[in-house]
Amino acid sequence: SALGTAGQQLYDEIGKDSVWRLPSQDAIQFVQDRANLLANVPDEIHSEIMQSVEQGLQNGESRKELMARISAAFDEIGRSRAETIANTETAAAFNYSRDKAMREAGVTHKKWLHSQSPLIKEPRLTHLEADGQIQPIDEPFDVGGVQFMRPADDSLGAGPEDIINCHCVAIPTEAP
């Protein structure tokens, strides 16, 4: 549901009247392509976690339901760890869908926004410095020397230190 909600919110923000739909295969592929960013978690356990997350996404479960699914399936993962995983994967899915929706809507430029969330006790300085950065839709953001096509994106080599618990978003904007 996060994938669909994010895309529709983007359409609503730019005043596009049509309903945005992410093909279910795109959503499944997104989950399957996520890299293992979990510290000290073997790829085998990561794979099991992602299969559980994939099943939850297919069922349309919320972030809270995903947390419960992860906690129940893996007793060795504590509540805060499950919350971190759920937050990280939901944010990645949210930004993935917003990016797809922007492209489908014909948006030409995107802007990086730091969330300013009070839940973030120690915000990443590089993410704060990137706040307001504008790029063409097909160009990556440069966040402290790390390349991102969208917040929480690991496709260009961003590591866990730049992705885990990132609450930043990309919004459509005019060319500078």
Side-chain angles (χ1 to χ4, degrees), residues 108-176:
T108 61
H109 286 77
K110 58 192 176 185
K111 181 191 289 188
W112 183 284
L113 286 183
H114 188 273
S115 72
Q116 308 295 326
S117 172
L119 300 175
I120 309 289
K121 303 293 184 237
E122 295 180 33
R124 294 171 178 96
L125 294 179
T126 55
H127 290 214
L128 282 169
E129 291 166 358
D131 189 47
Q133 184 183 142
I134 296 173
Q135 291 294 340
I137 196 76
D138 291 326
E139 295 295 321
F141 291 106
D142 183 336
V143 181
V146 178
Q147 304 291 297
F148 292 87
M149 289 306 291
R150 59 190 174 274
D153 171 41
D154 64 354
S155 68
L156 300 177
E161 66 280 0
D162 282 306
I163 296 171
I164 293 175
N165 260 340
C166 174
H167 291 84
C168 299
V169 296
I171 63 168
T173 191
E174 300 291 320

Side-chain angles (χ1 to χ4, degrees), residues 8 22 69 78 86 109:
Q8 188 59 52
L22 177 68
R69 173 183 285 280
H109 286 77

Side-chain angles (χ1 to χ4, degrees), residues 52 65-79 82:
S52 182
E65 290 168 322
L66 289 173
M67 282 173 49
R69 173 183 285 280
I70 293 165
S71 290
F74 304 97
D75 289 337
E76 70 274 7
I77 298 173
R79 178 172 164 66

